[in-house]
Amino acid sequence: MTHAVRIHQAGGPEVLSYDDITVTAPTANQVQIRFKAIGLNFIDCYHRSGLYPVPTLPHAIGMEGAGFIEAVGSDVDQFEIGQRVCIGAALGCYTELGNFDQNVVIPLPDEIDFDTAAAMMLKGMTAHYLLRRIYKVGPQDTILFHAAAGGVGTIATQWAKSLGTTVIGTVGSPEKAELAKAQGCDHPILYREENFTDRVRELTNGEGVPVVYDSIGKATFEGSLDCLRPLGMMVTYGNATGPVPDFSPALLAQKGSLFITRPTLMSYVAKRDDLLWAANDLFDVVKSGAVKIHINQKYDLKDAAQAHRDLEDRKTTGSTILIP
């Protein structure tokens, strides 16, 4: 017997159940991972709440973790027993032991420990597709990144700064503003105290920014559009305050022939080569010291419900991990 945190129905943090489970032997193309650390992400809350339905119930949630391989299936040709590995975009990581298709598993370099890997894979590969694929930021750019003191925000801010980009970031408190500034955020905006749209326009001499990265959703969507210069790119990649309301595409024309995308990490790493590209670029910036992973909260796996409450109540900063 082993333990997993599963949902038997959609709902609030109270539906997270710390269950005894039996893990079968891996099938032909699977590896069995003994997790040493597991990442906490907002997408976990979306799976729990039913906003992003899981395929079957009951089901372990969680998309990110690190550990070592305990068993391999008969057709596995990429991994071996005892190898250090991590997951960054596959459902079912809230468990002590689990089976995963070998094509979603990533070899973990010796220089990166399990806690760090669990804290960075989903968030760091998200930062990769935001900054290096959807819109390639560089020294010529000033960008707006919402939730700059959060898990993705702290990684993305450091990564963008290493590329010479000027970063404007929204945060919810003076303490988070100091944290964002320490990661390289040039202009933290306390969104509860000032209008972030007006402040962005002021910082860019009225021009606006070429790209906005928005994981907040409903509460910031219209204001984010108004931060963009003509032909700017709106990247809405999360729903922390709820889904973006319906709107007419004509709105994009009225505001300057804007572009908009609603991406997910899973689309950007669906191919094995793209998954390894994102992971290896992330490993490189972490090993070089350009991006430092800040694990500011740790919870026992059995306390996942409290971790979800704290995440949704904006009580966390940086990365959070669960320890089996």
Side-chain angles (χ1 to χ4, degrees):
M1 295 290 277
T2 189
H3 296 97
V5 170
R6 304 190 299 177
I7 58 169
H8 296 253
Q9 63 184 33
E14 70 280 356
V15 305
L16 294 173
S17 177
Y18 187 63
D19 294 341
D20 292 329
I21 64 168
T22 299
V23 179
T24 61
T27 60
N29 204 47
Q30 288 182 328
V31 300
Q32 189 171 94
I33 301 174
R34 173 72 63 180
F35 284 106
K36 305 302 289 183
I38 299 155
L40 175 73
N41 296 281
F42 245 106
I43 194 172
D44 305 348
C45 301
Y46 304 155
H47 284 137
R48 186 208 72 224
S49 69
L51 180 63
Y52 297 171
V54 300
T56 59
L57 293 174
H59 204 294
I61 61 171
M63 301 287 291
E64 178 181 52
F68 59 87
I69 293 177
E70 224 170 70
V72 298
S74 58
D75 293 341
V76 169
D77 56 7
Q78 302 179 51
F79 300 98
E80 59 187 23
I81 292 174
Q83 187 172 353
R84 302 172 74 251
V85 294
C86 56
I87 296 283
L91 187 64
C93 293
Y94 280 19
T95 186
E96 295 172 345
L97 187 69
N99 295 324
F100 294 86
D101 188 287
Q102 67 171 335
N103 289 316
V104 303
V105 180
I106 303 164
L108 181 60
D110 290 339
E111 299 95 325
I112 297 175
D113 61 50
F114 292 132
D115 284 8
T116 301
M120 78 179 197
M121 293 310 302
L122 185 144
K123 292 174 278 290
M125 292 195 299
T126 297
H128 178 265
Y129 83 71
L130 294 175
L131 302 175
R132 308 308 296 146
R133 296 188 67 183
I134 288 180
Y135 183 96
K136 289 189 176 182
V137 305
Q140 73 281 0
D141 293 312
T142 296
I143 66 174
L144 173 61
F145 210 102
H146 286 291
V152 175
T154 53
I155 294 173
T157 295
Q158 293 177 77
W159 204 331
K161 288 306 298 178
S162 76
L163 298 167
T165 307
T166 299
V167 179
I168 304 170
T170 63
V171 294
S173 68
E175 294 77 17
K176 289 187 175 183
E178 288 303 314
L179 175 60
K181 192 177 295 186
Q183 309 313 308
C185 181
D186 299 279
H187 305 288
I189 298 174
L190 291 164
Y191 67 84
R192 292 190 176 100
E193 298 180 11
E194 54 186 332
N195 184 295
F196 72 83
T197 305
D198 292 344
R199 182 66 176 136
V200 168
R201 288 288 174 180
E202 179 185 342
L203 289 168
T204 59
N205 297 315
E207 180 181 356
V209 294
V211 61
V212 174
Y213 299 107
D214 190 338
S215 61
I216 306 302
K218 181 178 179 180
T220 52
F221 178 70
E222 291 191 19
S224 292
L225 290 179
D226 289 333
C227 290
L228 287 166
R229 70 190 188 193
L231 310 186
M233 171 67 77
M234 174 67 179
V235 185
T236 173
Y237 70 100
N239 314 281
T241 59
V244 169
D246 294 341
F247 68 95
S248 168
L251 182 66
L252 304 178
Q254 295 163 12
K255 293 182 178 293
S257 298
L258 304 179
F259 297 85
I260 187 167
T261 182
R262 179 55 177 94
T264 68
L265 174 61
M266 280 58 73
S267 298
Y268 279 85
V269 297
K271 296 179 180 178
R272 178 73 177 166
D273 287 347
D274 288 336
L275 175 67
L276 295 179
W277 171 27
N280 288 327
D281 275 5
L282 175 60
F283 293 147
D284 286 346
V285 294
V286 172
K287 289 190 290 185
S288 74
V291 172
K292 295 178 173 61
I293 306 302
H294 299 280
I295 303 171
N296 294 340
Q297 298 82 210
K298 290 185 181 183
Y299 300 80
D300 290 339
L301 177 60
K302 62 182 176 61
D303 296 326
Q306 186 59 51
H308 276 228
R309 292 186 187 97
D310 291 347
L311 179 64
E312 291 180 307
D313 289 343
R314 308 292 192 275
K315 293 180 179 179
T316 66
T317 59
S319 293
T320 302
I321 60 173
L322 309 172
I323 303 300

